[in-house]
Amino acid sequence: MNKIILTGRLTKNAELSYLPSVGTPKMAFSLAVERNYQKDKNNKKVDFINCEMLTSVILPNTITRIGGYKGDANVFANCIALKSINLPVSLELIGVGSFMNCTNLKELVIPESLTSIRNIYIKAFKGCSNLPLATQAKLKQLGYRDTF
């Protein structure tokens, strides 16, 4: 890839690393998407909370975490149109409330080779009651310990 177009604004400097087996450079960007959601003290939060038009999410295999614990929690919370998510095989962490109340979420593509996720925090999928039972069971197998 020789060209990339980013829409939004960077929230911190890009992180350069190299793929261990081949030495190919890899850049990681933190991109902010502006939205009309206000957090306490009128500070804008810049993730996808309450994004009512988002219908699917495909995450690249370079993603290791979705959200976190405190300030970066609830990344896709209340995305009521969200129907499908493809999780990357590289995933190690799903943060607090990352997909909470995504009430139309019906498809969660989990790669066969993804056998464990180091941390799946509370409320990550709370309110996702339309997830098929087989998917809920797979998430429990991967380490999710909360309700849907």
Side-chain angles (χ1 to χ4, degrees):
M1 177 186 305
N2 294 325
K3 182 178 180 181
I4 185 168
I5 299 172
L6 298 173
T7 304
R9 64 180 172 80
L10 292 174
T11 60
K12 63 181 182 179
N13 291 334
E15 297 172 15
L16 174 64
S17 62
Y18 295 89
L19 298 175
S21 58
V22 291
T24 304
K26 174 177 84 169
M27 293 292 287
F29 298 92
S30 293
L31 186 64
V33 177
E34 295 293 341
R35 59 181 169 74
N36 293 325
Y37 174 77
Q38 299 290 323
K39 197 173 164 124
D40 43 15
K41 297 184 183 173
N42 291 325
N43 293 325
K44 264 192 179 177
K45 194 83 169 122
V46 286
D47 46 28
F48 297 93
I49 296 174
N50 298 330
C51 185
E52 296 176 357
M53 304 300 284
L54 183 65
T55 59
S56 67
V57 176
I58 299 173
L59 300 168
N61 282 329
T62 54
I63 298 288
T64 58
R65 57 183 283 154
I66 301 169
Y69 183 68
K70 290 186 180 180
D72 53 355
N74 304 319
V75 177
F76 294 98
N78 303 314
C79 292
I80 58 173
L82 186 60
K83 294 179 183 176
S84 69
I85 306 162
N86 286 43
L87 296 180
V89 69
S90 57
L91 194 60
E92 297 175 0
L93 182 145
I94 300 176
V96 173
S98 288
F99 299 100
M100 186 170 60
N101 297 325
C102 292
T103 53
N104 285 307
L105 184 58
K106 295 179 179 133
E107 181 182 30
L108 185 65
V109 178
I110 303 171
E112 293 263 339
S113 55
L114 184 60
T115 56
S116 70
I117 298 175
R118 185 171 42 91
N119 289 311
I120 305 179
Y121 285 101
I122 60 168
K123 300 180 183 175
F125 293 95
K126 191 157 186 87
C128 297
S129 54
N130 282 318
L131 277 174
L133 292 177
T135 303
Q136 291 181 22
K138 178 68 175 176
L139 284 169
K140 296 274 187 185
Q141 183 182 7
L142 290 171
Y144 185 58
R145 301 286 178 249
D146 207 346
T147 58
F148 292 92

